[in-house]
Amino acid sequence: MKTKALDEEGRKKLKEIFGFLAIPYWLGIIGEKFSFVYLAIFAGAGADHAVYKRISGGGGLAVLLLIALAYFWYRPAIKYRRTPLPGLKHAIRRRLSNLYRDAAILIVLMSAVRFAVVWGDKDVIPAMLLGLLAQLCILPTAVDWIRTRSLTVMGLLYEREELHAMRREFSLPLYLKIVLLIFSCALLPFALVSIGARWGAPFVYWSGDLLNLMLVCAMTLIVGLGVVFYGIQKPLEGLIGKMREVAAGGYPRTRIFYSDEVAHLKDGFNRMVGGLKEREEQLNAAGREKAALERELAVAKATSDLAAQVSHDIRSPLAALGAAVKGLALPHEQLDLVNNSVGRIQGIADDLLSRYRDPGAAHKAEVCALAGIIGQVLAEKRVQYGNRPGIRIEFGGGDGLAAAVDRREFPRVISNLVNNSVEAMGSEGTVSVLLSRLDGKILIDIKDDGRGIPAEVLATLGRKGGTHGKTGGTGLGLYHARTSVEGWGGSLKMGSEVGKGTVVTIILPAAAKPAAGMRAVLLDDDPLVHMNWKMAARAAGADLKLYKTPQELLAAAETLPRDIPLYIDSELGDGAKGEEIAKDLHDKGFADITMATGHDAAKFSRLPWLKTTGKEPPWA
């Protein structure tokens, strides 16, 4: 496909490439001068000699060949000026990359034409070989001179990024180019003069040719100095300027035209600048991430302080509420439900305080019977939404299924997910919770027949701030559920269809049901502690016996196994001390006795067989 034609400026730039025609022409003149000097010294052939004239005639044929071959070499550039197709540009770039090779081939072909014209004379062959040697030695300098004076062509043929990257081209080392230049333009002419003097050739025969040769070599040496200036000195000065820009904080890059040592130096500079820029971007990104983390930490600290203060402040009202509930004339089930709810709130408050005191602390997951915990949470939810008779909360399956979860967090997860389901429905609907097992996994499906969630919104849920259809919603419930379940080695999946409802599935690794033989005895006069232990025992499937007074426990001691774990509070009311009761029980043969108290263990050091722990249930 054709592209837009080059503008006038582009055509002017491209004209510079036609200056390469001067390379073989100039080198042809140099070869002739060396050949003429050789013939004058060793054969006494002057300008009127037949061989001299035959070489000059061969030079004319060589020029005609040069014009013909040059046309084919320049043909892509000639066509590109009229129709700048990408393929033509690629062909020009390929020719420039192989310029040393193409120029050398052209020189050899021109010399072959001259050999064909003068073949047969014994003095011609060494004279022509000497001229060809001189041409090949000067060839790299001549090519570099034309290339260093034609840099605008490179900007026309290469994109900006390509000019900043090294190209794979053939290039002689700089030291070799200098050695060849000195050899051909200084040492070789000096050797010819020295040999001619020793040979005894009459000076009158070769003095004019020698003068011409010296002028040509002097001009070539000047060109060599130009190559050093334009090809080495100026690029290095420019590179030093770029280095100053880097020192000032910039990230400039330098253009690379060819593939000599200077180009390798520029390529290394560009790579260094690119690496520095990339590392600065990484540092800036790390700085932004650090600032974001610091802001998050500040928010987390403020939130933690607020949570600690709230949990501290609600403990006293909760205790008062628990005491007041005991005096209410409520049905047994409702009273038990209220006590359980108060206990769970108390557990949340205690958990917040413990996390505030030790942010690194985390509750360990333990194997729990899930049906009892879920059933208890759903019972609370039925009471909570009792003023909405159209809402039905159902629970099915799963008896005997267990998984390793956090005993305190798991009820919160179920509670939050059920709340979301209820809030997704109108005045009536059904929330179904199904506990099942499949392929070694425990599945808890929480399904509603509410409004449903659009697919584009569903993908955002489970992250902080991701919420749908709730005024003032924060998304923390789903976020907490997902992170908690993942912390237990499981996963949380959501599926929804607009107008039909949503299902949230908790997937947990299955575990063996807790042993039914787990048992313990608690002696404590605090009803809230009784309630907390009762909930933990029910969730763990443990056998727990509760006693409020020492008299009750001592009366039942005869019927209890002597290896059953006993947990006794230190302060039992009416001046009774738990450690004294523990001593009496130890004397009766009970071996596993633990003080469940907030006192330090040093207080009971006189009783070495007595263990000490806090008021947490042994299954929590």
Side-chain angles (χ1 to χ4, degrees):
M1 183 178 66
K2 294 185 178 181
T3 58
K4 184 179 179 181
L6 292 175
D7 56 19
E8 187 62 28
E9 183 180 356
R11 284 194 289 270
K12 287 181 180 179
K13 289 180 179 179
L14 197 59
K15 283 182 180 179
E16 296 181 2
I17 196 174
F18 297 102
F20 293 124
L21 185 63
I23 296 174
Y25 184 76
W26 174 253
L27 293 178
I29 294 175
I30 291 175
E32 278 189 348
K33 298 306 178 186
F34 272 94
S35 298
F36 290 157
V37 170
Y38 181 89
L39 291 172
I41 292 175
F42 295 102
D48 56 347
H49 196 277
V51 175
Y52 198 105
K53 293 178 179 179
R54 289 168 65 190
I55 291 178
S56 299
L61 290 176
V63 170
L64 293 176
L65 176 65
L66 166 65
I67 294 173
L69 294 177
Y71 171 76
F72 288 102
W73 195 90
Y74 285 118
R75 190 174 181 182
I78 295 171
K79 296 172 68 176
Y80 187 75
R81 293 186 68 204
R82 297 193 302 266
T83 310
L85 296 175
L88 295 173
K89 178 189 286 189
H90 181 70
I92 300 171
R93 288 163 52 161
R94 188 168 60 249
R95 279 167 166 72
L96 291 177
S97 297
N98 298 317
L99 189 57
Y100 284 112
R101 181 200 66 187
D102 294 349
I105 292 174
L106 194 56
I107 293 299
V108 172
L109 289 176
M110 291 173 62
S111 298
V113 171
R114 286 178 171 152
F115 271 107
V117 171
V118 300
W119 189 260
D121 193 305
K122 65 177 183 177
D123 294 319
V124 170
I125 294 177
M128 296 294 292
L129 290 176
L130 180 64
L132 178 60
L133 175 64
Q135 291 179 79
L136 294 177
C137 290
I138 299 173
L139 174 65
T141 301
V143 171
D144 285 353
W145 168 255
I146 297 297
R147 294 206 307 183
T148 55
R149 303 300 296 160
S150 306
L151 300 182
T152 54
V153 176
M154 304 299 287
L156 182 66
L157 298 176
Y158 290 89
E159 302 298 329
R160 178 180 178 83
E161 291 302 317
E162 291 179 303
L163 285 175
H164 292 159
M166 176 69 74
R167 288 174 293 280
R168 294 185 178 182
E169 298 174 354
F170 173 77
S171 180
L172 290 175
L174 289 173
Y175 75 89
L176 184 57
K177 295 177 185 177
I178 295 173
V179 169
L180 292 176
L181 181 65
I182 294 174
F183 170 77
S184 58
C185 293
L187 297 182
L188 190 56
F190 177 80
L192 289 175
V193 172
S194 178
I195 293 172
R198 291 178 178 274
W199 192 266
F203 184 72
V204 67
Y205 290 134
W206 52 279
S207 59
D209 291 316
L210 180 63
L211 179 61
N212 290 333
L213 178 62
M214 292 300 181
L215 289 174
V216 170
C217 289
M219 293 177 64
T220 304
L221 285 173
I222 292 173
V223 169
L225 292 175
V227 170
V228 171
F229 178 76
Y230 288 107
I232 301 176
Q233 181 65 30
K234 285 193 69 175
L236 290 181
E237 289 177 354
L239 192 59
I240 292 172
K242 300 288 185 182
M243 291 179 179
R244 292 194 182 99
E245 292 184 41
V246 173
Y251 294 101
R253 289 194 293 173
T254 182
R255 294 181 297 174
I256 302 173
F257 296 105
Y258 304 108
S259 57
D260 56 8
E261 287 88 341
V262 174
H264 282 277
L265 181 62
K266 288 184 172 184
D267 184 61
F269 173 82
N270 287 343
R271 290 176 183 271
M272 178 195 71
V273 170
L276 290 174
K277 185 177 182 181
E278 181 180 354
R279 281 158 182 76
E280 185 185 41
E281 291 174 351
Q282 291 174 349
L283 286 174
N284 290 338
R288 291 191 296 270
E289 184 177 354
K290 178 184 176 184
L293 288 174
E294 288 177 347
R295 289 193 297 269
E296 289 184 8
L297 286 174
V299 171
K301 178 63 168 59
T303 304
S304 176
D305 292 344
L306 178 61
Q309 185 63 46
V310 170
S311 63
H312 177 272
D313 292 345
I314 67 173
R315 296 177 82 188
S316 295
L318 279 176
L321 179 60
V325 166
K326 290 189 295 184
L328 296 178
L330 294 174
H332 175 73
E333 291 184 357
Q334 292 188 13
L335 184 61
D336 194 35
L337 182 62
V338 172
N339 286 332
N340 288 343
S341 300
V342 171
R344 195 150 65 84
I345 297 173
Q346 181 68 51
I348 293 173
D350 292 341
D351 182 44
L352 287 173
L353 276 178
S354 64
R355 290 176 186 268
Y356 175 75
R357 295 190 184 105
D358 185 4
H363 294 295
K364 294 181 179 180
E366 57 181 297
V367 176
C368 299
L370 302 181
I373 300 176
I374 296 174
Q376 180 180 329
V377 173
L378 297 185
E380 294 178 12
K381 294 300 156 186
R382 293 187 186 101
V383 174
Q384 177 180 344
Y385 297 109
N387 59 344
R388 296 172 63 180
I391 300 297
R392 295 176 298 279
I393 301 176
E394 300 175 351
F395 178 46
D399 190 23
L401 299 183
V405 297
D406 185 330
R407 184 181 305 280
R408 290 187 174 184
E409 297 295 333
F410 183 70
R412 292 172 58 191
V413 169
I414 301 298
S415 176
N416 287 333
L417 294 178
V418 171
N419 286 343
N420 289 344
S421 293
V422 173
E423 290 167 2
M425 296 184 293
S427 59
E428 61 179 27
T430 301
V431 178
S432 300
V433 181
L434 177 64
L435 179 62
S436 61
R437 176 171 179 152
L438 178 65
D439 297 332
K441 301 289 184 180
I442 299 297
L443 306 181
I444 306 171
D445 293 310
I446 303 171
K447 183 178 181 181
D448 66 68
D449 51 9
R451 298 184 299 271
I453 304 171
E456 62 274 13
V457 177
L458 191 66
T460 68
L461 301 181
R463 300 195 296 260
K464 281 186 176 180
T467 185
H468 173 65
K470 294 171 63 175
T471 303
T474 63
L476 290 178
L478 271 175
Y479 173 76
H480 170 261
R482 180 181 63 80
T483 54
S484 296
V485 171
E486 290 176 355
W488 304 328
S491 61
L492 186 142
K493 296 182 178 179
M494 297 183 65
S496 186
E497 187 174 350
V498 176
K500 293 188 177 181
T502 302
V503 59
V504 179
T505 302
I506 297 173
I507 305 173
L508 295 169
K513 183 180 178 181
M518 293 176 62
R519 54 187 181 171
V521 171
L522 173 66
L523 172 59
D524 196 303
D525 62 342
D526 189 340
L528 289 177
V529 175
H530 277 224
M531 179 178 56
N532 191 24
W533 279 59
K534 185 178 179 181
M535 290 171 54
R538 180 183 301 172
D543 179 14
L544 174 66
K545 297 184 180 298
L546 299 171
Y547 299 96
K548 294 182 179 179
T549 65
Q551 292 77 13
E552 293 177 358
L553 176 57
L554 292 173
E558 298 301 326
T559 62
L560 297 174
R562 291 302 184 260
D563 62 345
I564 192 170
L566 302 178
Y567 295 87
I568 304 174
D569 186 19
S570 177
E571 306 293 337
L572 295 174
D574 296 330
K577 296 293 184 181
E579 53 268 33
E580 299 299 330
I581 306 301
K583 187 175 182 304
D584 292 343
L585 292 170
H586 184 262
D587 293 339
K588 292 180 181 292
F590 290 92
D592 189 357
I593 306 177
T594 302
M595 297 303 297
T597 179
H599 292 299
D600 190 83
K603 180 179 179 181
F604 314 106
S605 58
R606 61 186 179 87
L607 304 173
W609 44 266
L610 186 61
K611 294 179 287 186
T612 307
T613 186
K615 290 210 171 188
E616 293 293 328
W619 312 282

